[in-house]
Amino acid sequence: MITVSTIAEVRQHVQAARAKGQRIGFVPTMGNLHAGHLALADAARANADFVVASIFVNPLQFGPNEDLDAYPRTLEADQQGLTDHGVDLLFAPAVAEVYPDGMTLQTRVSVPGLGDILCGASRPGHFDGVATVVTKLFQIVQPDLAVFGRKDFQQLTLIRRMVRDLSMPVTILDVPTARAEDGLALSSRNHYLSADERAKAPALYRTLNQIAEQLQQGGADLIKVRKQALTNLEDSGFRPDYVEIRHRHTLQEPLQEDRELVILAAAWMGKTRLIDNLVVDRPASS
Ligand code: PAF
């Protein structure tokens, strides 16, 4: 794997691959890679001839009181992982390469209706930062396909919408959430958890499964189900941000007849904000 840090170098390598008729796959990340990220690389490898990954901790998607400075940076280990998983080119730019005019950009990409709900309501500006950097990265790499994890379900939904709305010629592939044996979704932020917090954290996924079971039985009162889930999370040591049951494709409140749902939750365990989600099909009778 070749590692480069400039846009010009990425373009040069991608153009050379394209000239050979190769299909370009792209895996954008913020580094500190775990098995979930490496599964994204595997999916890109299986569907493309030339695989590009990026590692860029994007300041634009962090709020003023968030963990930008503390965010784990593990470039050497990440390079090894990406090499082992068949990535051809790694783009690991400095902030000034991506934002040469600083953070006060003139142009930002925003996906109203998706970027300002759920995690977007708790983290104002976060999804504008994601949409903007992903647009820039797509412009730089010009991939045929890009791979995102289902763990960040709202991000995945928003990127699909953005690609569609802006007629971007990129196919979006998604990969299931990688989990620890006890069900906790793998996340770079799990490193922030103390041993005690880590032991409590699987309650988030357990709660999602309890909601899913109730929905699958049919006839569930969504308000009561959500209230019970919030209580369960509090009893397990979480400070819930939200638990929501939404339409799987629009993330809006579901209508009575909607069957394809997704349960989304965000909750604080100590100082760490964890998110998770689970898709569920509601039976036709409910
Ligand atoms: O999911 C992430 O790691 C980031 O939000 C992304 C898509 C790489 C944009 O910075």
Side-chain angles (χ1 to χ4, degrees):
M1 184 182 73
I2 301 168
T3 301
V4 298
S5 59
T6 66
I7 294 170
E9 288 168 297
V10 176
R11 292 213 160 115
Q12 195 189 323
H13 287 285
V14 170
Q15 271 164 21
R18 234 181 237 302
K20 290 187 230 158
Q22 293 186 323
R23 192 169 148 79
I24 314 298
F26 180 44
V27 182
T29 80
M30 298 206 301
N32 193 235
L33 305 181
H34 50 65
H37 295 109
L38 298 173
L40 306 183
D42 291 341
R45 184 70 277 163
N47 289 282
D49 306 304
F50 187 78
V51 178
V52 184
S54 63
I55 293 182
F56 179 60
V57 184
N58 172 34
L60 209 59
Q61 69 189 75
F62 286 77
N65 300 316
E66 293 185 349
D67 56 343
L68 174 63
D69 293 335
Y71 199 85
R73 286 153 170 94
T74 51
L75 183 61
E76 272 184 33
D78 293 347
Q79 283 172 312
Q80 190 57 58
L82 293 172
T83 304
D84 294 347
H85 286 258
V87 172
D88 298 297
L89 181 70
L90 171 63
F91 178 43
V95 172
E97 180 71 9
V98 179
Y99 301 119
D101 301 321
M103 290 303 116
T104 50
L105 289 180
Q106 298 291 312
T107 306
R108 291 196 187 209
V109 181
S110 174
V111 188
L114 274 177
D116 43 15
I117 58 171
L118 303 166
C119 284
S122 314
R123 304 180 66 190
H126 167 69
F127 285 113
D128 288 1
V130 171
T132 303
V133 81
V134 170
T135 300
K136 281 179 71 89
L137 291 167
F138 282 1
Q139 289 292 104
I140 293 164
V141 176
Q142 307 213 337
D144 296 291
L145 63 95
V147 192
F148 292 85
R150 270 181 228 158
K151 153 87 173 22
D152 297 302
F153 198 89
Q154 186 176 1
Q155 170 174 283
L156 173 66
T157 307
L158 174 133
I159 285 166
R160 283 195 197 285
R161 183 81 239 174
M162 176 185 87
V163 162
R164 191 183 156 98
D165 286 351
L166 298 182
S167 310
M168 293 176 171
V170 185
T171 300
I172 303 299
L173 297 185
D174 61 274
V175 167
T177 304
R179 298 185 180 279
E181 272 188 17
D182 57 11
L184 180 66
L186 298 191
S187 163
S188 302
R189 291 193 165 101
N190 292 352
H191 294 299
Y192 300 149
L193 298 169
S194 69
D196 178 49
E197 290 168 347
R198 174 63 188 79
K200 292 177 183 162
L204 184 56
Y205 186 51
R206 274 203 303 277
T207 302
L208 295 181
N209 276 292
Q210 284 159 6
I211 300 175
E213 276 168 31
Q214 293 175 59
L215 294 177
Q216 278 157 353
Q217 280 161 17
D221 174 338
L222 300 196
I223 296 177
K224 277 197 194 144
V225 169
R226 282 184 49 227
K227 211 168 155 206
Q228 181 60 51
L230 292 167
T231 308
N232 286 356
L233 286 176
E234 279 166 9
D235 292 348
S236 309
F238 275 102
R239 185 162 53 84
D241 181 354
Y242 66 79
V243 176
E244 293 286 344
I245 300 159
R246 294 291 171 103
H247 183 286
R248 193 182 302 167
H249 305 294
T250 64
L251 301 191
Q252 304 306 309
E253 299 278 357
L255 302 173
Q256 189 67 34
E257 64 270 24
D258 289 334
R259 302 287 156 244
E260 294 187 340
L261 305 179
V262 57
I263 311 157
L264 303 124
W268 290 90
M269 175 54 77
K271 292 192 169 129
T272 309
R273 187 173 180 278
L274 299 178
I275 59 170
D276 205 348
N277 66 80
L278 192 59
V279 296
V280 58
D281 290 321
R282 187 161 56 168
S285 57
S286 60

